[in-house]
Amino acid sequence: MSTSSHILNPRPLPAVAAPRFLEGADLGEYAKYLTDESRQSGQAAALAFPGSTAEVCATVLAARARGWSITVSNARTGIAAGAVPTGGLLLSLERLHGIRALRLGPATSILVHCEAGVSLAEVQKGVRTGVFADSGTWDPDSAAALATLRQGRYVYPPDPTETSAAIGGTIACNASGAHSFRYGPTRPYVDALTVVLMDGRVLDLQRGQAQAAPDGRFGIRQADGQVSWGRIPSYVWPRTKNAGGYYAEPGMDLLDLLIGSEGTLGIITEAVVRAIPAPEASCAVMTFWPTESAALRFTRAVREQRQELGLEAVEYFGPDALRLLRQRRAQLGAVSGVPECLPATADCAIYLDIGTDSARLAPVLEQLIAVVSAQGGDPESCWSAMADDERERLRIFRHALPETVNARIAEIRRRHPTVTKLGTDMAVPDDGLEQVLAMYRSHLDQAGLPYVVFGHIGDNHLHVNILPEDPQQYALGKRIYRQFAEAVVAMGGSPAAEHGIGKLKTAFLEILYGAAGVRQMRAVKAVFDPDSRLGAGTLFDGGQP
Ligand SMILES: Cc1cc2nc3c(=O)[nH]c(=O)nc-3n(C[C@H](O)[C@H](O)[C@H](O)COP(=O)(O)OP(=O)(O)OC[C@H]3O[C@@H](n4cnc5c(N)ncnc54)[C@H](O)[C@@H]3O)c2cc1C
């Protein structure tokens, strides 16, 4: 692919016709494409649905000829408004929905070659069940890899809660989820990308084939043979989960620059992602705690034994969260998804996913019971789920919380349409967990703001959902949100741990990397997208939730 491993060599594809642009009155019935799960709404001069990498190239060139900017839209589940257009062309990847091939990968992994618009759910399910809608069209090597997949137990580890997200969207946002506690975010599961650049050429990026120089330099060869040089930013990447800004590390793989770039450097049209052998046995356990401090001690204790216990996820439900769930049960009864047997004395809860060898499962559960007892919990009150239907009931219980929060905010918005939920997405290093939680509570209690705390406590990544009752509380909540971001960064953490920066949190980039860091990011973007046509308003324009 490259003559020097620091220089990327994009290639032109044979020209094809661009798909029809939907413009003017034709756009009317496509209003849903102007918004995403952030509930922000944008505008576009035209919308296009290219059906192949070659058509994406043609679309880029046609948009360029009209002087239009381009916003990439995928499944639109983003909650930071990255896919919401600010004018120009909205390029939807919805028609890129094929899974093209399987291959045997290194260390008994299986590589899945998919187009960017394939849903995460389809990839996860295909890997889990060995059933793929497109397998009838695959080559013999794919058939052999499929046979291997079907003989074993495999998992595609990235697990953001919203599985209708597209695989290209999860890569563009470096999405993570509850199981990132054990497996990390999307990044390490991406082996190769096909990326369309803003000059209509295509980059084939394969992990291990192109790295930045030790001093951070990298280049892109232009169509005339000249090389445009850039430099990886020199800022220090947070020591926590982080989905804010361009990934930066000395000598890094250049593939990693595209992962998490939120549709601002290039358009990912295809990806090769890696499924790995799944644990033989798994179990979900909900533990209940009389106080938050007991739950925090338990978190530390299980974290210290994460390997022996085969922990995949450690998730928190704070006292405010359990209160909301109890209210939901009282209002809706059994359809609430909240069981009647929620222990009356429980103040908060910690949910665990365990994945281990079949022979180890029983001893692991005994060890877990011992940890619960040692931390003052009651093993009798714990719920465990192994069978699919039991796990599904636990999943419904867990999801009842965000649903209740969203219903509450919808109710408030009927009275005050300008008010939205203020949902934080911040992670801190291990030693900051108690400190950050105390900070959240003292600021919000003092301000008298309603809020709920839950989320990925294993990674010190708690979501604080502030639920302002009126515009005054909303304004106050926004100020406090920013103070949280500053404090979390001062602790070495990230104010954008998994949902990205998008258009709503761009002010956080300067808090995270300083003005110089943001300038370095802009310089990287200028190498990929010199006319700044891609993803206008995303990452760089100074917005704050
Ligand atoms: C209920 C709910 C729960 C969620 N839970 C999680 C969670 O647990 N963890 C998590 O990380 N996120 C979560 N999210 C956020 C969201 O699902 C993720 O950010 C997801 O990765 C977005 O994928 P998408 O296909 O919907 O992308 P979109 O929303 O369409 O786009 C997101 C951004 O990526 C860019 N983009 C998309 N595809 C490409 C591409 N192929 N090439 C270049 N740029 C591209 C877009 O321009 C935009 O900037 C949740 C969202 C919801 C609504």
Side-chain angles (χ1 to χ4, degrees), residues 145-167:
L146 183 57
T148 304
L149 180 89
R150 286 177 175 165
Q151 277 157 22
R153 226 177 114 87
Y154 282 84
V155 61
Y156 177 61
D159 68 333
T161 314
E162 185 53 70
T163 58
S164 66
I167 208 84

Side-chain angles (χ1 to χ4, degrees), residues 120-203:
L120 173 66
E122 191 178 338
V123 174
Q124 286 174 334
K125 187 167 172 219
V127 163
R128 199 174 58 246
T129 61
V131 178
F132 292 89
D134 298 329
S135 59
T137 62
W138 289 352
D139 63 6
D141 285 348
S142 298
L146 183 57
T148 304
L149 180 89
R150 286 177 175 165
Q151 277 157 22
R153 226 177 114 87
Y154 282 84
V155 61
Y156 177 61
D159 68 333
T161 314
E162 185 53 70
T163 58
S164 66
I167 208 84
T170 61
I171 294 170
C173 299
N174 189 30
S176 56
H179 285 198
S180 301
F181 175 73
R182 171 143 156 195
Y183 300 102
T186 299
R187 183 182 306 287
Y189 302 96
V190 181
D191 258 49
L193 292 177
T194 303
V195 180
V196 174
L197 299 181
M198 280 305 94
D199 63 2
R201 293 181 304 155
V202 171
L203 258 184

